[in-house]
Amino acid sequence: MAHGPSTMPAHGLPAAGRAPSLRRWDGLGYVLPAFLLLAFFFVLPVVALLLRSVLEPTPGLENFAKLLTTPTYAQVFLNTFTVAGVVTLASLLAGFPVAWLLAVLPGRWAAFLFGVILLSMWTNLLARTYAWMVLLQRTGVINRALMDVGLIDAPLPLIRNLAGVTIGMTYIMLPFVILPLHATLRAIDPAVLQAASLCGANRWQAFRRVLLPLSLPGVAAGSLMVFVMSLGYFVTPALLGGASTMMLAELIAQLVQSLLDWGMGGAAAFVLLVVTLALYALQVRFLGSGRMTAGGAG
Amino acid sequence: MLLTFERMGALRWILVLWGVLVAAFLLLPVLFIVALSFGSSRWLQFPPPAWTLRWYQELLADPRWLDSILTSFKVAALVTVASVLLGLLAAFGLVRGRFPGREVLRAFFLTPMILPVVVLAVALYALFLRVGLNGTLAGFVIGHLILALPFSIISITGALEGFDKAIEDAAVVCGAHPFEAKLRVTLPALKLGLFGAAVFSFLVSWDEVIVAIFMASPTLQTFPVRIWGVLRQDLSPVIAAASSLLVLLTLVLMAAAALVRRGSRR
């Protein structure tokens, strides 16, 4: 095991005189504190939680059987995947033109738009969710405005249902699809599109056959990231949703905290974990690991 | 053509219009909350019938709010220090070490970022119930440190990879002890990476709510946990005041980050 800084091969003096076996482990001591922290307070508790899913109340797979056959839980899975899917699609449709605009705007305006996106992204999640709770409530600004202009007669139910969750989460996820898409669009050489136009392509053909295909890695990276993040979201669904719109993360919290059913909680956590890791593996496999950036906690 | 602003014709105005709409969508809720926090209506009427500082007074006069803010600061400060220190050490090992399995280890260090936070929260909750760390400052710090460390490691490894080690070697050749060379040559060169690590670590901890909900006790909670608890009851305008303070903090940190970036470019 390596130890203090003086055994690092890094200090520049030729390491020729040193035994190779010792050099092989150089630097390991440096990563040890972080490794031990994660081993004890990350890997150990997560593995213990997952084990409880097959050990409690009796050893076996009955928790998973219950999870997959009970209609209440099926509804939770349906909610989770529906919201994640709709949010991903909505963020992508709303975010693509913005990413495109960011890639072509003159510097000063692009910087301003970036500022707005980052401000929204960095603002506390609870603060942003609170904003939507107030905006979407029965007597909220949105309902009042719609009634004032005569579009509706009675307030729309925009909160405590899937509509509320979807609006709130799209708001939160938009930056996570705009940023990777922008990076991809930015990297496309404008000359490629000039070439398309010289070859006789009109705007639509240039978009459809050149720009869109070239932007697909960014589209895939952004949407996979938003989808994965949405699957495990907790705060926004809990505050903007209702009893019938429960999502997987809330279910896990409730099973453990209110019902003290650690076996079922572990099983639900196991499912969420497996789906998340599988989608992440897909991302790494097809898009390279560099694209998955900050997840953000929700 | 499609990537040159001047040559996009009418399309560019469609994009600009869409950009304005989305920017408004992103910005207005934040401004709305700030406006409400100064509004006099208990029922969050908008536009507010009159302006007042009452909600800020209520917030700052309530020891439960103040305690939670203080707890959040303590936790975030401790997390920041620990995360930068551990991140710095780990970055040296990952970038300069030659041991096998380095790449696997690097990926392992980033897994807390992709794992759903609720899974970590529940798992830690179970462990801490057993060892008696629930409802303690140490419990909050450990939980948040797990989530902050990946950001620290990314930021500092990035800086260290961009640093030319020959400069550190030169200091050693000129007679500096290797440790002194690291301390006085390498560390100052990494300051942007260290600053980024500190800001991200602080923000991760300061804003974190899920692990904190599970870690909190009636007597010890962080600011977000207190907001969460009140929000479950009603939409009190005091929350608007609390949220506005959080927006202000975000603005301050963004401005600081912009200044540091500008300063380093010179």
Side-chain angles (χ1 to χ4, degrees):
Chain A
M1 289 245 154
H3 342 277
S6 57
T7 54
M8 290 276 289
H11 66 79
L13 299 174
R18 226 176 268 154
S21 62
L22 200 123
R23 281 190 56 205
R24 196 171 147 78
W25 297 104
D26 269 347
L28 203 60
Y30 285 86
V31 296
L32 207 58
F35 180 78
L36 289 179
L37 177 85
L38 289 187
F40 278 112
F41 295 113
F42 179 61
V43 178
L44 179 82
V46 169
V47 169
L49 175 70
L50 300 182
L51 277 179
R52 291 176 89 162
S53 70
V54 289
L55 293 177
E56 289 181 24
T58 52
L61 292 174
E62 57 177 310
N63 287 322
F64 290 93
K66 211 161 111 192
L67 197 64
L68 298 176
T69 52
T70 315
T72 331
Y73 297 138
Q75 185 63 45
V76 170
F77 283 113
L78 186 67
N79 288 342
T80 309
F81 282 95
T82 310
V83 168
V86 174
V87 166
T88 305
L89 199 66
S91 324
L92 198 59
L93 290 178
F96 191 98
V98 180
W100 189 359
L101 182 65
L102 272 174
V104 296
L105 266 186
R108 190 171 296 262
W109 290 103
F112 175 76
L113 192 51
F114 254 118
V116 170
I117 293 168
L118 290 182
L119 173 69
S120 151
M121 199 167 121
W122 282 21
T123 297
N124 183 289
L125 179 72
L126 280 169
R128 286 180 288 164
T129 306
Y130 171 73
W132 284 102
M133 290 171 80
V134 178
L135 283 167
L136 295 175
Q137 64 177 329
R138 276 182 70 83
T139 55
V141 175
I142 292 176
N143 265 323
R144 281 240 317 280
L146 287 176
M147 273 157 74
D148 285 348
V149 297
L151 273 174
I152 52 173
D153 298 324
L156 292 174
L158 294 172
I159 197 170
R160 307 252 160 269
N161 55 27
L162 283 182
V165 178
T166 308
I167 295 172
M169 284 191 49
T170 304
Y171 177 78
I172 283 149
M173 294 299 172
L174 249 178
F176 293 103
V177 71
I178 294 177
L179 296 180
L181 253 179
H182 165 253
T184 310
L185 287 171
R186 184 93 225 192
I188 299 173
D189 188 348
V192 177
L193 288 149
Q194 263 156 16
S197 124
L198 283 176
C199 294
N202 62 29
R203 266 172 219 291
W204 170 243
Q205 286 169 323
F207 174 76
R208 176 75 191 68
R209 313 258 309 256
V210 182
L211 190 68
L212 198 60
L214 284 175
S215 69
L216 277 187
V219 170
S223 26
L224 254 177
M225 181 152 112
V226 168
F227 190 77
V228 169
M229 278 169 70
S230 304
L231 285 180
Y233 238 55
F234 176 73
V235 169
T236 311
L239 291 175
L240 288 172
S244 62
T245 66
M246 186 183 276
M247 286 172 63
L248 197 46
E250 290 170 83
L251 176 71
I252 296 171
Q254 205 184 54
L255 282 170
V256 165
Q257 222 171 11
S258 316
L259 305 175
L260 303 177
D261 190 343
W262 286 92
M264 285 303 292
F270 196 97
V271 172
L272 180 57
L273 197 69
V274 166
V275 175
T276 304
L277 290 182
L279 288 174
Y280 181 67
L282 201 70
Q283 174 124 350
V284 173
R285 173 84 178 72
F286 289 107
L287 301 163
S289 58
R291 290 198 181 270
M292 192 92 171
T293 46
Chain B
M1 181 176 71
L2 288 178
L3 281 174
T4 321
F5 192 60
E6 290 75 22
R7 286 198 230 155
M8 284 167 65
L11 181 63
R12 73 171 144 165
W13 299 119
I14 298 174
L15 281 187
V16 166
L17 181 70
W18 190 254
V20 170
L21 286 176
V22 170
F25 176 65
L26 288 176
L27 200 55
L28 288 182
V30 177
L31 297 179
F32 174 71
I33 286 309
V34 177
L36 273 187
S37 74
F38 294 108
S40 63
S41 162
R42 173 122 220 12
W43 312 111
L44 301 161
Q45 228 175 48
F46 192 86
W51 303 98
T52 174
L53 287 175
R54 193 177 136 201
W55 314 117
Y56 288 91
Q57 281 161 357
E58 266 185 37
L59 180 78
L60 299 176
D62 187 338
R64 286 171 304 175
W65 279 110
L66 291 181
D67 282 349
S68 74
I69 294 176
L70 192 67
T71 306
S72 267
F73 257 114
K74 268 193 230 160
V75 172
L78 288 170
V79 167
T80 305
V81 172
S83 162
V84 170
L85 279 178
L86 288 181
L88 181 65
L89 284 176
F92 266 101
L94 289 175
V95 174
R96 296 188 173 177
R98 291 289 167 267
F99 52 90
R102 251 177 335 133
E103 287 312 309
V104 178
L105 199 61
R106 184 187 289 229
F108 168 66
F109 280 153
L110 303 186
T111 36
M113 247 164 72
I114 51 164
L115 191 88
V117 188
V118 75
V119 175
L120 173 70
V122 168
L124 270 183
Y125 176 59
L127 177 72
F128 285 1
L129 279 181
R130 290 221 174 143
V131 298
L133 278 171
N134 256 64
T136 66
L137 204 62
F140 282 108
V141 172
I142 292 171
H144 286 178
L145 185 54
I146 303 284
L147 292 171
L149 195 56
F151 291 89
S152 213
I153 289 178
I154 288 179
S155 182
I156 301 174
T157 39
L160 194 60
E161 274 165 349
F163 171 73
D164 186 354
K165 200 174 73 63
I167 302 173
E168 186 181 309
D169 296 348
V172 176
V173 169
C174 292
H177 185 273
F179 181 70
E180 195 189 359
K182 279 199 181 55
L183 198 68
R184 300 196 26 201
V185 177
T186 311
L187 218 51
L190 298 180
K191 66 173 187 288
L192 216 61
L194 293 171
F195 175 78
V199 169
F200 275 121
S201 300
F202 187 91
L203 267 183
V204 165
S205 168
W206 174 258
D207 280 340
E208 206 289 325
V209 61
I210 305 173
V211 170
I213 289 172
F214 281 89
M215 220 50 71
S217 72
T219 49
L220 191 70
Q221 24 180 252
T222 58
F223 195 30
V225 174
R226 172 109 183 105
I227 296 180
W228 167 267
V230 175
L231 260 190
R232 298 286 256 182
Q233 312 289 322
D234 72 330
L235 295 177
S236 156
V238 178
I239 303 283
S243 298
S244 302
L245 291 180
L246 290 171
V247 173
L248 183 70
L249 184 81
T250 306
L251 281 175
V252 169
L253 283 174
M254 276 179 77
L259 279 180
V260 167
R261 229 178 298 130
R262 188 168 304 167
S264 71
R265 219 181 283 142
R266 257 187 225 128

